[in-house]
Amino acid sequence: MLRVKDPVKSLAFYTGVLGMTLLALKKFPDMGFDLYFLAKLTDSERENLPAGDELEIFAFRQRGILELTHNYGTETKADFSYHDGNQDPQGFGHICFSVPNLEEAVAWFDKNEVEFKKRPEEGSMKNIAFIKDVDGYWIEIVQADLMG
């Protein structure tokens, strides 16, 4: 689970840039937060999504789900941010996405003005990129056949 400042911006990033699909939204107004559940689906899965209660069951049967939590009011605080886990004190580090073609993914991120923490050609770990989401969380981007 990642805590996000502004769900509109975060959903635009995770659905528009990373191609995830929002599968479920759970609202808890009495407790002041909402939960967004996203998954990376194939085109066929996206085109054949079930409806109603079946969609929620489908959501929680996925191999991997990203949960975004929005605590009400954070989006209106200009100076508000969450700790990304990579500064002191360190804790959470990053999530990882595997892409079919790293070079094409990097070009897509450039086209969409995504901030890089590390490009594949930088540093001693080649063929691995790190991008940042709208809240500054690091996302590792890898291509499976380049990891050997």
Side-chain angles (χ1 to χ4, degrees):
M1 178 273 285
L2 299 176
R3 287 183 176 83
V4 299
K5 178 178 178 177
D6 185 334
V8 173
K9 291 178 181 176
S10 293
L11 289 171
F13 178 84
Y14 284 98
T15 61
V17 175
L18 291 182
M20 299 188 82
T21 301
L22 176 63
L23 295 176
L25 167 58
K26 299 279 196 180
K27 293 181 174 266
F28 298 91
D30 292 345
M31 293 183 270
F33 67 91
D34 294 336
L35 304 176
Y36 300 82
F37 296 91
L38 300 105
K40 184 70 173 147
L41 305 179
T42 65
D43 289 340
S44 175
E45 288 170 326
R46 193 175 302 115
E47 291 165 5
N48 295 294
L49 283 175
D53 292 340
E54 292 299 313
L55 178 58
E56 188 167 315
I57 294 167
F58 174 85
F60 293 102
R61 286 189 172 147
Q62 296 310 298
R63 293 174 301 279
I65 298 174
L66 178 62
E67 176 184 349
L68 303 178
T69 297
H70 171 244
N71 294 301
Y72 299 168
T74 55
E75 70 281 7
T76 62
K77 299 176 183 172
D79 61 344
F80 183 87
S81 66
Y82 284 108
H83 189 289
D84 69 6
N86 292 295
Q87 313 303 321
D88 286 331
Q90 287 187 330
F92 170 81
H94 63 271
I95 60 176
C96 180
F97 281 79
S98 178
V99 296
N101 185 301
L102 184 60
E103 187 176 322
E104 289 176 6
V106 168
W108 172 256
F109 297 142
D110 284 337
K111 179 181 174 185
N112 286 277
E113 300 178 356
V114 172
E115 181 180 352
F116 279 83
K117 177 68 181 166
K118 179 206 169 299
R119 291 183 164 274
E121 67 276 6
E122 296 173 343
S124 59
M125 293 175 52
K126 305 297 182 199
N127 297 320
I128 296 173
F130 280 88
I131 60 174
K132 290 185 175 184
D133 81 353
V134 297
D135 286 290
Y137 291 115
W138 298 7
I139 303 169
E140 182 177 4
I141 307 295
V142 300
Q143 179 180 324
D145 60 337
L146 297 178
M147 297 301 294

